[in-house]
Amino acid sequence: QVNRTYDPPLKDNIVLQKFNQAVNFKETTRVNGQPYKGGQGLSAVNFSPIWLKDMDNVLEEIDWLWEGFLAKGYLTLFSALWKSGKSTLISHLVKAAEKGADLANMKVNKSRILIISEENKGLWVERREDLELIGDIAILSRPLSQRLKYKEWVDFLETISTFCIENTIDVVIF
């Protein structure tokens, strides 16, 4: 069907050749150095689904860093258009986390923070001065000089993890 939208349409043997190339690519794509085999070879994945009806009625206690918004062991995404206040919000969250103050009438627990930012050091110095930031806040400004390959990302994340463990970091902000 898609081939009919081309002007002129490709010949049937060319369409079949392209299809076979795509199938071959899919079957030979490597994951972690191993050929892709329908999910096999993904050693970092624990694929053990549990039926919801079979789960225990145990409530897990959530360790909130910012009550209702940001919790230890969870991922939180603040997303919006550019120049809409994301960095300003993060800056004030960091300020509240310095001493364990409220933000938007919600408790923020005292936390040690690592910020990995594409913003330059000068902007962070300005924020530090404007908000009088003096707490346990580490900034990694513009750490990437190029797009990382998969293995480089893994190494980068392991380095971040090691830093966080060694420095008892509670929150990492990208």
Side-chain angles (χ1 to χ4, degrees):
Q1 298 292 346
V2 173
N3 190 35
R4 293 181 191 159
T5 65
Y6 292 108
D7 186 21
L10 297 172
K11 294 182 180 179
D12 288 345
N13 65 329
I14 300 294
V15 172
L16 185 59
Q17 178 187 8
K18 297 292 182 190
F19 175 77
N20 287 332
Q21 285 175 336
V23 168
N24 186 47
F25 174 80
K26 174 74 171 143
E27 290 175 351
T28 59
T29 299
R30 297 186 169 273
V31 176
N32 294 334
Q34 299 297 318
Y36 179 75
K37 299 176 186 170
Q40 297 175 8
L42 299 176
S43 60
V45 175
N46 176 11
F47 190 79
S48 303
I50 300 171
W51 295 106
L52 183 58
K53 65 182 180 179
D54 297 332
M55 286 186 179
D56 293 332
N57 292 334
V58 176
L59 293 176
E60 292 184 19
E61 189 68 29
I62 297 175
D63 187 3
W64 291 105
L65 294 171
W66 182 18
E67 189 69 35
F69 295 101
L70 185 64
K72 284 187 180 180
Y74 289 78
L75 297 176
T76 301
L77 174 67
F78 295 113
S79 174
L81 294 173
W82 55 91
K83 305 310 293 174
S84 59
K86 296 180 301 291
S87 294
T88 300
L89 173 64
I90 295 299
S91 297
H92 286 277
L93 173 62
V94 169
K95 177 65 178 172
E98 274 190 315
K99 295 187 171 95
D102 286 356
L103 178 62
N105 293 323
M106 301 301 283
K107 177 73 176 154
V108 178
N109 291 321
K110 187 173 180 177
S111 305
R112 295 172 60 91
I113 297 173
L114 169 62
I115 298 173
I116 302 166
S117 176
E118 285 302 305
E119 295 176 322
N120 67 45
K121 293 175 186 171
L123 284 173
W124 285 104
V125 169
E126 284 180 34
R127 287 188 183 113
R128 180 191 67 198
E129 301 304 317
D130 290 346
L131 295 172
E132 299 175 357
L133 299 171
I134 57 171
D136 293 321
I137 305 159
I139 305 288
L140 184 57
S141 177
R142 296 187 171 178
L144 307 178
S145 60
Q146 64 188 26
R147 188 176 187 173
L148 299 182
K149 295 180 177 130
Y150 175 79
K151 176 69 171 118
E152 293 168 324
W153 263 114
V154 170
D155 291 344
F156 183 51
L157 293 174
E158 286 177 356
T159 302
I160 292 167
S161 178
T162 300
F163 177 86
C164 291
I165 291 167
E166 290 173 353
N167 294 279
T168 59
I169 300 293
D170 299 301
V171 179
V172 178
I173 298 171
F174 281 87

